[in-house]
Amino acid sequence: MEIGDFKCFDCKFKSDAVSILNETDLLKLQEGCSQTAFRKGELLFKEGAPAKHIVYIRNGFVKLSKQGIGGKDIILSVSKTGAYLNIHNLQRKRNDYYFSAVALCETNVCFIEKESFEKLLKNNGAFAYEVISYIFEDEMNYFDRLVNNVQQQLPGRLANALLYFKNHVYTENPFNLSLNQSELASLIGTSRESVSRIIKEFRDSGIIQTEENQFYILDEMRLEEIKLKG
Amino acid sequence: MEIGDFKCFDCKFKSDAVSILNETDLLKLQEGCSQTAFRKGELLFKEGAPAKHIVYIRNGFVKLSKQGIGGKDIILSVSKTGAYLNIHNLQRKRNDYYFSAVALCETNVCFIEKESFEKLLKNNGAFAYEVISYIFEDEMNYFDRLVNNVQQQLPGRLANALLYFKNHVYTENPFNLSLNQSELASLIGTSRESVSRIIKEFRDSGIIQTEENQFYILDEMRLEEIKLKG
DNA sequence: GTATAAGTGTGATATAAATTACATCTTTGC
DNA sequence: GCAAAGATGTAATTTATATCACACTTATAC
């Protein structure tokens, strides 16, 4: 065996699911796996295009979006290191990307052939179980956000989004938000102007502090209240 | 072996996933499986309660709801024959019901012990793969709805909901909607009065016809247009 | 380094939809 | 069969937020 033959085996960025695989399975995974680097703004894949791969984020941040009405995009979420994208494509009937993915910074991913991944799942129930567990953990994250958005008014939705970024995406405070106000607007389903106004309100009442793209949440309690009460 | 020992084996309502299980696995499933009948309006399980079971709908319709702000409920969807409820509870960290479930008519379900189900998944990758496939098929159904709701105005959201009921829930036209206008409102995140007004509009422009709980979609094209354009 | 584009802040106005209020109409229990 | 509760229809008013309009500020290109 040559150097490089242990790519997946030696990988420092294994997901929890892949961590339980033995050497044989890792070699199988590796066969259908190819690594690629993307720069800020580059498209990983495009909604509607034929999808033959599951995409694993080794490192970085990726914006997921869907085309809405009148050309307006809807931002679904921001995924980060350790996430699997396009994993719902394991469903037999689906053969194309459900959303588009764009790198928000230097991002490193693995393209894993759908067939390799499927074979692994079918032959290794423990792996499949880990994958199922991952799927739910990941989805619940923004399912909650979508559900709340149905009932909430704008300030509540924006509070929700900011807390989502702080707690689930960047997990630090302050954090550098790689979305502009238009994108924030299309994440919570409003207009750019309204986002600007509500950010100003939050700033004026000392709940947050902003500088360029950096957001600093000063009063998380208040923000939680706004998130819950509207 | 006595009569009744083949409950799961002989079951006429097997899911696609369970259909691929062999006799041994079916006996294992059966050990953790108990059947229960619910009448209209009865609670299958309550949001927040400890969840030890996956619930399979053998037959009937079930309304899934979550508590929102100010006591107002949010209706998530209507599930029917063949659906697994609480399946996201397979995720390790979750130990309680994420939503409440209420029977909308005479409904027959199986309560399957989480542990039995987990064991099956772990020991049978092919089964796990089928379950994953099911999960996505089911979730995409209303994920789409939630995503669209972020951008859409009321008529669009109601059109969306009606088409969802016709195509994915009742799969017939006319259909008997087992939700009242208040419930419809909390499905699309609006007020009861607005639902009443928009239904009237749809009726007046000959798009639908209603009588008691029965909805008859006359002009599906128009409804699709409204769903897409707002 | 200037020009062009992209992003942001903020006011005035228009509009969709919530709220309030009440009149039916329908079901359910006794 | 009647009262009480639940569901629906419809109007008037209020409120949140979209849209329009424009100033200003910051990146990006040539």
Side-chain angles (χ1 to χ4, degrees), chain A residues 73-100:
Chain A
D73 277 7
I74 299 170
I75 311 264
L76 297 176
S77 67
V78 172
S79 286
K80 59 168 181 178
T81 308
Y84 284 100
L85 306 181
N86 190 38
I87 196 163
H88 56 272
N89 220 289
L90 290 170
Q91 193 206 322
R92 270 181 252 78
K93 290 177 205 155
R94 296 224 145 242
N95 285 304
D96 40 68
Y97 291 109
Y98 178 66
F99 47 72
S100 296

Side-chain angles (χ1 to χ4, degrees), chain A residues 19-34:
Chain A
S19 295
I20 71 161
L21 294 181
N22 61 25
E23 197 172 331
T24 326
D25 277 352
L26 280 168
L27 279 170
K28 271 190 232 157
L29 179 65
Q30 181 175 306
E31 270 171 46
C33 183
S34 68

Side-chain angles (χ1 to χ4, degrees), chain B residues 69-230:
Chain B
I69 314 141
K72 272 193 215 165
D73 277 7
I74 299 170
I75 310 265
L76 297 176
S77 68
V78 172
S79 286
K80 60 169 182 177
T81 307
Y84 283 101
L85 306 181
N86 191 38
I87 197 163
H88 55 270
N89 220 290
L90 289 171
Q91 192 207 326
R92 272 182 250 76
K93 291 178 205 155
R94 296 225 143 243
N95 286 302
D96 40 67
Y97 291 109
Y98 179 67
F99 47 71
S100 296
V102 171
L104 290 173
C105 61
E106 184 82 27
T107 296
N108 225 279
V109 308
C110 285
F111 282 89
I112 307 163
E113 278 173 27
K114 207 175 139 183
E115 285 78 21
S116 307
F117 207 85
E118 271 175 21
K119 263 187 227 160
L120 266 182
L121 289 173
K122 286 183 186 165
N123 296 323
N124 189 336
F127 176 66
Y129 178 73
E130 290 295 325
V131 169
I132 289 178
S133 191
Y134 162 77
I135 290 168
F136 289 121
E137 193 179 333
D138 181 56
E139 295 212 338
M140 298 307 277
N141 246 359
Y142 64 125
F143 196 76
D144 259 330
R145 228 191 50 235
L146 285 174
V147 167
N148 273 320
N149 280 190
V150 172
Q151 260 205 344
Q152 225 79 7
Q153 296 194 238
L154 271 190
R157 302 218 293 271
L158 188 64
N160 203 182
L162 292 178
L163 289 166
Y164 161 73
F165 284 120
K166 174 184 163 293
N167 298 325
H168 297 286
V169 181
Y170 300 107
T171 53
E172 54 182 24
N173 193 20
F175 55 88
N176 256 73
L177 184 62
S178 353
L179 299 179
N180 61 30
Q181 295 192 353
S182 305
E183 290 173 308
L184 261 181
S186 73
L187 180 81
I188 62 176
T190 183
S191 64
R192 193 219 93 222
E193 293 90 332
S194 295
V195 168
S196 176
R197 266 185 279 262
I198 295 167
I199 286 178
K200 180 188 152 70
E201 267 176 44
F202 285 177
R203 215 169 22 213
D204 289 353
S205 30
I207 298 171
I208 62 170
Q209 201 174 297
T210 63
E211 209 184 316
E212 316 236 328
N213 294 328
Q214 186 172 278
F215 279 74
Y216 189 14
I217 295 175
L218 301 170
D219 192 345
E220 185 155 354
M221 291 278 281
R222 280 283 297 287
L223 211 53
E224 281 284 357
E225 263 175 53
I226 293 170
K227 165 185 160 176
L228 290 175
K229 289 185 185 150

